[in-house]
Amino acid sequence: MRVAVIGAGVIGLSTAQSIYEQYHEQVASLTIEVYADCFTPLTTSDGAAGFWQPYLYDKGNNQETKWNKETFDYLLSCLRSPEGIKMGVFLQSGYNLCTESAPDPSFKDIVLGFRQLTERELEMFPGYSYGWFNTALMIEGKSYLPWLMDWLKQRGVKFYHRKINSFQELADSGAQIILNCSGIRSGELQADPELQPGRGQILKVDAPWLKHWILTHHFTKGTYNSPYIIPGSRLVTVGGVFQLGNWSEKNNSSDHKKIWEEACQLEPSLIHARIVEDWTGLRPVRSRVRLERESIQSGPVTLEVIHNYGHGGFGLTIHRGCAQEAARLFGEILKQRHWETKSHL
Amino acid sequence: MQSVKVVVVGSGVVGLSTAVCIAETLPHCSVTVISERFTPDTTSDGAAGILFSSQFPDIPLERQRRWFKESFDHLLAIAQSSESGEAGVILSSGYQVFKEGPSERPFWADYVLGYRMLSEREMKRFPEHKFGQAFTTIKCECITYLPWLEKRFRKAGGELHHGKVSDLQHLAETYDVIVNCSGLGARSLVGDAKVYPVRGQILKFRAPWVKNFIRDGDGHTYLYPGVNSVTLGGTRQVGDWRLEVDTGDREGILERCFRLEPALHGGEVVGEWVGLRPGRESPRVEVERLKTAEGREVPLVHNYGHGGGGVTLAWGTALDALGLVRQSLAQHPPMARL
């Protein structure tokens, strides 16, 4: 049984992992192949700060909240194992700041120690009158992706550095089930007007005295369009912008200026931080994550495709829940097509 | 008016804080710090510098609360300013967990930020412990803070002199006010037998992904993430004067810290240090009059004996010492020097 995964960002790799975990014993000679024209450290997942936090409100999308929770709990359990730090997973506390009072976010019961900010804490952030404190997880792509690739390679998963131009191309070469984890460029495989880039630019700075993440929320400006400061294991990620429809992957100097000035206002000590580099990435934004099966008729053959893309700015946050769901859909296909027993030819 | 000559003995966090308070507040005083050791070689330099306190038996609670609050507010302002990284004064969040004992709310809970008890879910992370506290406090790293204070002191006109003081009488001939911040040295300098060393050994550990501190309420195991390394500790050996590293202590610290925070795996030891806390039942912050052989009388303000709470209480006790200096000068204007 040959399975092809398109995309080697966090979604592609974790999907391959979940499928392997759940089916390598059930399915005779399960071969998983990952195809991508871009691998760590050059994927969108690598540039992201690596901070687990969904958007404040899920707007009734309980499914995504469930996947976010599944991911958090999974990563939390990884902390106890020695693999934890190799995976790039660690805990960090911090502040979500709002310019006005707001309902509690959808993730309040998922994270650790969620509480309102006290008066004295708010005094530390002029311009913000409300907010929350909690401990959340960091999941750094630059460590997590190599760890996933090693995990997969050790289990015989093959990697191909190649751009895939159509699902047909893979089907022609013998793939029976295709996992479409191609992120922002899914539109090149199958047009999707709902998928748009949410351009983000960040600065990486050296400021090791910062030990908390700080996210600000201006409800008129929109998610990620107001300053955030997220210390990592090595450098601090400073952002942000969220420019819907902007496909430019080049660093922009006026974005840089705006980001830097607003961040220094939020955290004055940044003025002494050394700026190491800028990075631009395109969040694969969609009204909701596309995580579903599609059977594509191609002549006499039916291609089985599982789409798993459109995770916006929360790919790392939701990846495990989605990967497990993709694996569940995979199992559905196996049952329907009678591919699951070991005795299958 | 001829300026009043003040000398501060000792250049650890208490001495420098006191010197800065006096130099900045009393413009008619010229302040000199005399010390055998300066940063980075003082006891303060090795301390992790996390602010929180134990309660002293003989000092009125109101005074202790004031000491803590004033120190905390002073350092919080630095942590919130652009100088945070330059001074090495940062916000630090974390946990104190207990295996046993009553869970009373400590007095400093009112002054740190966001103090609360840990939930059951959070306690799952500490299977060997029964309950815990979470809060955000300040970490003040003297290795950077003391140079920062020295700069501030010099800017206020202060002078730093290297020298061992063994005779306060001699100092009284030259200075109008003596402020004794000699820490453990007070045992011999002023013959205070109530001062004793409390030996502490720590390791400096590189694990920059550890962002929250964890302390065992028994005070023997702690990990405090700092700007460039995590301080792992510790020991509390009363009456122990050894300044050499003890390998048994090192093994014990590593073993206990790794149990408390498995995320330390993957890190590495980058340094080791031993310091002697200037232990005393309570800090001595009071004034007496010192008579010289010639009959001169100078106020002698004591500010020593902070044990493991030097960084925590330096500013608050410095302000008290400043008050005592002022009070003394008002009551007994300095006599002319012969």
Side-chain angles (χ1 to χ4, degrees):
Chain A
M1 145 118 299
R2 282 185 59 203
V3 177
V5 177
I6 309 174
V10 69
I11 301 299
L13 297 180
S14 59
T15 301
Q17 181 187 41
S18 288
I19 289 173
Y20 180 92
E21 275 175 342
Q22 292 184 33
Y23 298 102
H24 79 277
E25 275 172 8
Q26 282 185 52
V27 178
S29 52
L30 175 70
T31 312
I32 303 176
E33 296 161 346
V34 176
Y35 295 85
D37 59 5
C38 190
F39 286 87
T40 178
L42 301 169
T43 71
T44 311
S45 311
D46 287 291
F51 172 57
W52 187 100
Q53 186 169 294
Y55 298 162
L56 289 185
Y57 307 109
D58 62 21
K59 298 180 181 136
N61 193 333
N62 299 324
Q63 188 63 273
E64 286 184 7
T65 298
K66 176 171 154 289
W67 291 332
N68 288 329
K69 176 173 164 42
E70 205 179 325
T71 306
F72 190 92
D73 290 343
Y74 165 70
L75 293 173
L76 195 62
S77 73
C78 292
L79 273 186
R80 282 192 250 290
S81 87
E83 292 298 283
I85 192 48
K86 289 195 208 130
M87 291 167 72
V89 182
F90 56 94
L91 290 167
Q92 188 169 210
S93 307
Y95 305 88
N96 271 296
L97 304 171
C98 304
T99 46
E100 53 189 70
S101 80
D104 287 347
S106 58
F107 53 80
K108 65 180 273 227
D109 294 323
I110 303 175
V111 296
L112 298 171
F114 178 90
R115 61 172 174 83
Q116 311 293 322
L117 288 175
T118 64
E119 285 287 333
R120 279 176 74 219
E121 287 175 307
L122 287 167
E123 276 164 27
M124 301 197 295
F125 305 106
Y128 299 96
S129 57
Y130 194 77
W132 310 288
F133 185 94
N134 64 258
T135 301
L137 285 165
M138 296 291 295
I139 166 74
E140 296 187 315
K142 285 211 169 77
S143 304
Y144 192 50
L145 266 56
W147 183 86
L148 275 172
M149 287 192 61
D150 277 346
W151 191 97
L152 293 166
K153 279 182 184 153
Q154 279 171 30
R155 287 156 183 79
V157 173
K158 298 274 182 292
F159 292 85
Y160 299 93
H161 196 124
R162 208 172 99 202
K163 185 177 160 81
I164 300 300
N165 296 300
S166 67
F167 300 130
Q168 188 64 50
E169 185 189 323
L170 287 172
D172 286 346
S173 68
Q176 290 161 284
I177 302 181
I178 297 168
L179 279 299
N180 175 20
C181 306
S182 49
I184 188 57
R185 286 176 293 141
S186 284
E188 292 173 28
L189 287 166
Q190 188 186 89
D192 183 348
E194 286 186 61
L195 180 68
Q196 290 181 81
R199 182 181 175 280
Q201 184 170 323
I202 50 137
L203 277 62
K204 292 270 192 208
V205 316
D206 188 19
W209 58 89
L210 298 176
K211 306 288 181 186
H212 299 83
W213 41 264
I214 309 174
L215 263 70
T216 65
H217 305 275
H218 292 253
F219 297 109
T220 47
K221 288 194 198 171
T223 315
Y224 303 132
N225 249 330
S226 64
Y228 60 79
I229 298 167
I230 303 173
S233 61
R234 222 174 41 94
L235 297 172
V236 179
T237 301
V238 177
V241 291
F242 188 107
Q243 297 151 349
L244 208 51
N246 186 346
W247 282 95
S248 169
E249 288 185 81
K250 288 205 172 68
N251 295 319
N252 176 292
S253 58
S254 30
D255 286 339
H256 172 110
K257 191 159 174 285
K258 169 183 176 283
I259 291 166
W260 184 242
E261 281 172 6
E262 290 184 356
C264 287
Q265 255 191 334
L266 183 60
E267 177 54 62
S269 68
L270 279 177
I271 210 85
H272 294 290
R274 180 176 63 96
I275 300 176
V276 174
E277 59 187 2
D278 275 55
W279 181 82
T280 295
L282 305 178
R283 301 175 185 85
V285 176
R286 204 172 182 274
S287 53
R288 57 179 51 220
V289 172
R290 186 176 185 199
L291 181 40
E292 61 188 10
R293 282 177 54 188
E294 188 183 7
S295 304
I296 302 175
Q297 214 48 48
S298 173
V301 176
T302 311
L303 303 177
E304 294 293 352
V305 179
I306 299 173
H307 297 285
N308 188 5
Y309 69 85
H311 304 81
F314 51 91
L316 287 158
T317 296
I318 204 173
H319 78 275
R320 176 72 175 181
C322 288
Q324 296 287 79
E325 172 65 14
R328 196 189 63 76
L329 292 173
F330 184 88
E332 243 181 45
I333 298 174
L334 293 185
K335 273 208 176 67
Q336 273 179 17
R337 303 284 294 259
H338 307 290
W339 281 341
E340 78 270 34
T341 57
K342 279 260 191 210
S343 59
H344 174 72
L345 293 157
Chain B
M1 187 179 83
Q2 194 182 33
S3 88
V4 174
K5 294 178 74 176
V6 179
V7 65
V8 175
V9 179
S11 190
V13 67
V14 174
L16 275 182
S17 299
T18 307
V20 166
C21 278
I22 299 171
E24 288 184 347
T25 315
L26 304 178
H28 61 287
C29 288
S30 75
V31 189
T32 303
V33 168
I34 302 183
S35 185
E36 203 183 353
R37 273 193 287 274
F38 289 86
T39 177
D41 301 314
T42 71
T43 307
S44 311
D45 286 291
I50 288 271
L51 255 71
F52 83 151
S53 203
S54 45
Q55 212 163 309
F56 300 111
D58 289 330
I59 307 214
L61 188 57
E62 256 334 287
R63 196 175 187 199
Q64 294 185 57
R65 291 175 79 100
R66 185 165 46 78
W67 282 347
F68 189 94
K69 180 180 191 313
E70 283 173 345
S71 302
F72 192 90
D73 288 348
H74 158 81
L75 291 171
L76 181 62
I78 299 172
Q80 283 309 107
S81 76
S82 59
E83 299 305 292
S84 171
E86 299 294 286
V89 180
I90 65 177
L91 281 180
S92 183
S93 295
Y95 312 99
Q96 183 171 219
V97 289
F98 298 80
K99 287 185 173 142
E100 59 188 20
S103 65
E104 292 158 351
R105 186 185 161 86
F107 79 82
W108 46 265
D110 295 337
Y111 306 117
V112 295
L113 299 168
Y115 175 93
R116 62 180 178 87
M117 299 298 287
L118 290 178
S119 64
E120 264 187 57
R121 186 168 169 236
E122 288 171 298
M123 283 309 295
K124 282 208 173 82
R125 211 179 137 194
F126 306 108
E128 294 174 25
H129 296 79
K130 288 216 178 85
F131 62 91
Q133 309 152 334
F135 52 93
T136 300
T137 184
I138 304 282
K139 185 177 199 290
C140 172
E141 302 190 349
C142 288
I143 200 86
T144 8
Y145 182 59
L146 295 191
W148 189 85
L149 275 182
E150 280 183 357
K151 233 183 11 203
R152 200 166 142 171
F153 180 59
R154 286 200 175 94
K155 200 158 162 226
E159 280 182 31
L160 297 154
H161 288 323
H162 182 263
K164 185 176 165 75
V165 174
S166 25
D167 177 8
L168 290 179
Q169 294 272 337
H170 182 68
L171 277 186
E173 284 157 27
T174 329
Y175 294 95
D176 303 312
V177 181
I178 302 173
V179 186
N180 171 23
C181 303
S182 52
L184 189 54
R187 188 180 160 97
S188 50
L189 185 60
V190 296
D192 186 346
K194 291 200 229 162
V195 177
Y196 53 88
V198 180
R199 183 180 176 280
Q201 184 168 320
I202 53 118
L203 290 151
K204 295 251 180 246
F205 199 81
R206 211 201 133 269
W209 54 86
V210 174
K211 307 285 188 187
N212 289 344
F213 69 80
I214 307 175
R215 181 184 200 265
D216 188 311
D218 69 14
H220 291 286
T221 309
Y222 50 80
L223 46 122
Y224 297 129
V227 177
N228 294 309
S229 63
V230 184
T231 299
L232 304 184
T235 66
R236 256 166 232 287
Q237 295 138 331
V238 174
D240 192 337
W241 289 90
R242 289 175 303 147
L243 280 168
E244 316 79 52
V245 163
D246 180 305
T247 44
D249 287 339
R250 180 209 292 147
E251 298 312 310
I253 291 166
L254 285 171
E255 195 253 316
R256 293 192 312 271
C257 284
F258 273 64
R259 259 219 313 267
L260 199 53
E261 177 56 286
L264 289 171
H265 282 104
E268 54 175 352
V269 175
V270 292
E272 270 185 295
W273 181 83
V274 175
L276 306 178
R277 300 173 184 84
R280 199 173 183 274
E281 201 175 36
S282 301
R284 185 181 182 197
V285 188
E286 61 188 15
V287 62
E288 60 173 313
R289 308 233 8 115
L290 183 69
K291 273 206 181 78
T292 69
E294 288 84 13
R296 229 167 93 76
E297 256 195 24
V298 305
L300 170 56
V301 175
H302 297 287
N303 189 6
Y304 67 84
H306 299 67
V311 176
T312 299
L313 303 173
W315 197 257
T317 51
L319 288 172
D320 262 16
L322 166 66
L324 292 171
V325 169
R326 270 181 140 138
Q327 187 191 310
S328 300
L329 290 176
Q331 286 170 358
H332 304 274
M335 293 164 69
R337 278 179 289 278
L338 296 162

